[in-house]
């Protein structure tokens, strides 16, 4: 079993490699070379190896023979993961309503309003948008008080993040507005409204993807 220092290093390596997958330069289909990744993230190969095993376990990396590849997220995989999120995350939002610290909801609201008030060129900063998105969904999952449920949702979210605002940049403003509706309901302690807002948000993401495919 990993000791505390080793585990901490592995988690740091995990976050750095995950960022390479979600934000580039790693792209679906790329071969993952352990030594090269260690050089890129500036860490030794041991924590990098542990992090790669974690990512493989989550399905973001696939092993073909001896080589690891960044998973090519098929649309069917994405829609399946999103459907499970639709089953789980409204319940999480309901459980989290009234349980989130006011300072956290205020911070999230300010960040979302800052994005909406920024210039279109600034809105294109995916790392900023992804950070707020991760904070909101992750916070609700944690506050709900079920560690296994939280871990499942985080894994599903990582899978769906591989097909996100890069594919649907027109969704950015709507996404922020939908997140604000969730924050408002959670802050008000209204579990049913929070669940409905989460369902509406994820349903609109799904419908936008279907609509885009229909147009192409």
């Amino acid at each position: 079993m990993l000791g505390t220092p080793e585990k901490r290093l592995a988690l740091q390596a995990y976050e750095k490699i995950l960022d390479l997958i979600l934000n580039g330069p790693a792209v679906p289909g790329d071969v993952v070379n352990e030594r090269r990744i260690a050089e890129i993230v500036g860490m030794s190969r041991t924590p990098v190896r542990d992090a790669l095993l974690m990512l493989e376990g989550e399905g973001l990396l696939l092993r073909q023979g001896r080589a690891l590849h960044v998973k090519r997220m098929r649309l069917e995989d994405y829609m399946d993961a999103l459907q499970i999120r639709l089953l789980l995350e409204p319940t999480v939002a309901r459980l989290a309503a009234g349980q989130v610290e006011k300072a956290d909801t205020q911070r999230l609201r300010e960040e979302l309003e800052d994005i909406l008030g920024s210039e279109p060129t600034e809105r294109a900063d995916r790392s900023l948008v992804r950070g707020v998105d991760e904070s909101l969904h992750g916070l609700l999952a944690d506050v709900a008080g079920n560690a296994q449920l939280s871990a499942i949702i985080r894994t599903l979210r990582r899978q769906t993040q591989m097909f996100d605002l890069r594919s649907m940049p027109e969704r950015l403003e709507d996404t922020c507005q939908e997140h604000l509706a969730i924050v408002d309901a959670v802050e008000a302690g209204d579990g049913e409204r929070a669940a409905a807002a989460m369902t509406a948000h994820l349903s609109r993401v799904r419908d936008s993807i279907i609509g885009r495919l229909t147009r192409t």
Side-chain angles (χ1 to χ4, degrees):
M1 185 173 180
L2 290 174
T4 300
E6 290 84 359
K7 187 171 184 178
R8 187 178 302 115
L9 284 173
L11 290 173
Q12 290 174 4
Y14 172 93
E15 291 296 336
K16 290 182 178 181
I17 299 169
L18 180 63
D19 185 65
L20 294 177
I21 294 172
L22 296 179
N23 295 320
V27 297
D30 276 1
V31 174
V32 178
N33 180 282
E34 183 183 298
R35 180 170 59 82
R36 177 60 179 152
I37 291 293
E39 292 174 354
I40 292 173
V41 301
M43 301 181 73
S44 67
R45 293 178 67 174
T46 298
V48 166
R49 185 178 304 117
D50 292 333
L52 293 176
L53 287 173
M54 293 164 64
L55 289 162
E56 183 181 3
E58 292 182 351
L60 296 182
L61 300 178
L62 293 178
R63 188 171 297 278
Q64 298 177 341
R66 294 185 176 181
L68 274 178
H69 297 256
V70 178
K71 180 178 180 179
R72 291 187 182 279
M73 191 71 175
R74 298 179 310 139
L75 181 62
E76 293 85 352
D77 297 330
Y78 175 88
M79 297 301 282
D80 287 348
L82 189 59
Q83 183 61 37
I84 300 172
R85 288 183 62 190
L86 265 164
L87 294 173
L88 298 180
E89 291 201 61
T91 297
V92 164
R94 183 184 293 108
L95 292 172
Q99 304 301 315
V100 180
E101 295 290 337
K102 192 171 183 63
D104 289 325
T105 55
Q106 289 179 335
R107 172 180 54 81
L108 288 168
R109 182 180 290 105
E110 289 172 0
E111 290 174 351
L112 289 164
E113 289 174 347
D114 283 346
I115 294 172
L116 288 170
S118 63
E119 294 295 325
T121 53
E122 295 175 352
R123 292 184 186 180
D125 185 350
R126 288 187 61 258
S127 62
L128 177 63
V129 178
R130 176 178 171 265
V132 180
D133 186 76
E134 185 71 25
S135 293
L136 173 59
H137 289 269
L139 179 63
L140 296 186
D142 291 340
V143 170
N146 186 316
Q148 292 189 49
L149 181 59
S150 177
I152 291 169
I153 288 174
R154 286 183 184 277
T155 297
L156 290 168
R157 292 197 65 255
R158 285 170 188 137
Q159 292 174 3
T160 55
Q161 281 172 337
M162 297 177 77
F163 188 106
D164 59 7
L165 290 174
R166 284 175 297 183
S167 304
M168 298 185 297
E170 71 278 4
R171 279 278 307 154
L172 190 149
E173 183 170 344
D174 287 342
T175 293
C176 289
Q177 295 289 1
E178 291 157 15
H179 281 166
L180 281 172
I182 296 169
V183 169
D184 289 343
V186 167
E187 187 175 67
D190 190 333
E192 293 309 312
R193 182 155 61 96
M198 182 65 77
T199 297
H201 166 53
L202 294 175
S203 296
R204 287 166 186 159
V205 172
R206 178 198 60 201
D207 293 345
S208 293
I209 295 169
I210 294 172
R212 169 168 283 237
L213 291 174
T214 302
R215 292 193 300 270
T216 57

Coordinates of all heavy atoms in Angstrom, one line a residue, residues 92 96 100-101 104-105 107-108 133-144 154:
V92 N -27.7 14.1 -5.9 CA -26.6 14.8 -5.2 C -26.9 16.2 -4.9 O -26.7 16.7 -3.8 CB -25.3 14.6 -6.0 CG1 -24.2 15.6 -5.5 CG2 -24.8 13.2 -5.9
A96 N -27.3 18.0 -1.3 CA -26.3 19.1 -1.0 C -27.0 20.4 -0.7 O -26.4 21.3 0.0 CB -25.4 19.3 -2.1
V100 N -24.1 23.5 1.8 CA -22.9 24.1 1.3 C -22.6 25.4 2.0 O -23.6 26.2 2.2 CB -23.0 24.4 -0.3 CG1 -21.7 25.0 -0.8 CG2 -23.2 23.1 -1.0
E101 N -21.4 25.7 2.4 CA -21.1 26.9 3.1 C -21.4 28.1 2.2 O -21.2 28.1 1.0 CB -19.6 27.0 3.4 CG -19.1 25.9 4.4 CD -19.6 26.2 5.8 OE1 -20.0 27.4 6.1 OE2 -19.7 25.3 6.6
D104 N -18.8 29.4 -0.1 CA -18.5 28.7 -1.3 C -19.5 29.0 -2.4 O -19.1 29.1 -3.6 CB -18.6 27.2 -1.0 CG -17.4 26.7 -0.1 OD1 -16.3 27.2 -0.3 OD2 -17.6 25.8 0.7
T105 N -20.8 29.1 -2.0 CA -21.8 29.5 -3.1 C -21.5 30.9 -3.6 O -21.7 31.2 -4.8 CB -23.2 29.4 -2.5 OG1 -23.4 30.2 -1.4 CG2 -23.5 27.9 -2.2
R107 N -18.6 32.4 -3.7 CA -17.4 32.4 -4.6 C -17.8 31.8 -6.0 O -17.4 32.4 -7.0 CB -16.4 31.5 -4.0 CG -15.2 31.2 -4.9 CD -14.2 30.3 -4.1 NE -14.8 29.1 -3.6 CZ -15.0 28.0 -4.4 NH1 -14.7 28.0 -5.7 NH2 -15.5 26.9 -3.8
L108 N -18.6 30.7 -6.0 CA -19.0 30.2 -7.3 C -19.8 31.2 -8.1 O -19.6 31.3 -9.3 CB -19.8 28.9 -7.1 CG -19.0 27.7 -6.6 CD1 -19.9 26.6 -6.1 CD2 -18.1 27.2 -7.7
D133 N -16.6 24.8 -13.3 CA -17.4 23.6 -13.5 C -17.0 22.5 -12.5 O -17.9 21.8 -11.9 CB -17.3 23.1 -14.9 CG -18.3 22.0 -15.3 OD1 -19.4 22.2 -15.4 OD2 -17.8 20.8 -15.3
E134 N -15.7 22.2 -12.4 CA -15.2 21.2 -11.5 C -15.5 21.5 -10.1 O -15.9 20.7 -9.3 CB -13.7 21.1 -11.7 CG -13.1 19.9 -10.9 CD -13.4 18.6 -11.4 OE1 -13.8 18.4 -12.6 OE2 -13.4 17.6 -10.6
S135 N -15.4 22.8 -9.7 CA -15.6 23.3 -8.3 C -17.1 23.0 -8.0 O -17.4 22.5 -6.9 CB -15.3 24.7 -8.2 OG -13.9 25.0 -8.3
L136 N -18.0 23.4 -8.8 CA -19.4 23.2 -8.5 C -19.8 21.8 -8.4 O -20.4 21.4 -7.4 CB -20.3 23.9 -9.6 CG -21.8 23.7 -9.5 CD1 -22.3 24.2 -8.2 CD2 -22.5 24.4 -10.6
H137 N -19.6 21.0 -9.5 CA -20.1 19.6 -9.5 C -19.3 18.8 -8.4 O -19.9 18.0 -7.7 CB -19.9 19.0 -10.8 CG -20.9 19.5 -11.9 ND1 -22.1 18.9 -12.1 CD2 -20.8 20.6 -12.7 CE1 -22.7 19.6 -13.1 NE2 -21.9 20.6 -13.4
G138 N -18.0 19.1 -8.3 CA -17.2 18.4 -7.3 C -17.7 18.7 -5.8 O -17.8 17.8 -5.0
L139 N -17.9 20.0 -5.6 CA -18.3 20.4 -4.3 C -19.7 19.8 -3.9 O -19.8 19.3 -2.7 CB -18.4 21.9 -4.2 CG -18.9 22.5 -2.9 CD1 -17.9 22.3 -1.8 CD2 -19.1 24.0 -3.1
L140 N -20.6 19.8 -4.8 CA -21.9 19.2 -4.5 C -21.8 17.7 -4.2 O -22.4 17.2 -3.2 CB -22.9 19.4 -5.6 CG -23.3 20.8 -6.0 CD1 -24.3 20.9 -7.1 CD2 -23.7 21.6 -4.7
A141 N -20.9 17.0 -5.0 CA -20.7 15.6 -4.7 C -20.1 15.3 -3.4 O -20.5 14.4 -2.7 CB -19.9 15.0 -5.8
D142 N -19.2 16.1 -3.0 CA -18.5 16.0 -1.7 C -19.5 16.3 -0.5 O -19.5 15.5 0.5 CB -17.3 16.8 -1.6 CG -16.2 16.4 -2.5 OD1 -16.2 15.2 -2.9 OD2 -15.3 17.2 -2.8
V143 N -20.2 17.3 -0.6 CA -21.1 17.8 0.4 C -22.2 16.8 0.7 O -22.8 16.7 1.8 CB -21.6 19.2 0.1 CG1 -22.7 19.6 1.1 CG2 -20.5 20.2 0.2
A144 N -22.6 16.1 -0.4 CA -23.7 15.1 -0.3 C -23.5 14.0 0.8 O -24.4 13.4 1.3 CB -24.0 14.5 -1.6
R154 N -17.2 11.8 -10.0 CA -15.9 12.4 -10.5 C -15.4 11.6 -11.7 O -14.9 12.2 -12.7 CB -14.9 12.5 -9.4 CG -15.2 13.5 -8.4 CD -14.1 13.6 -7.3 NE -14.5 14.6 -6.3 CZ -14.3 15.9 -6.4 NH1 -13.8 16.4 -7.5 NH2 -14.6 16.7 -5.4

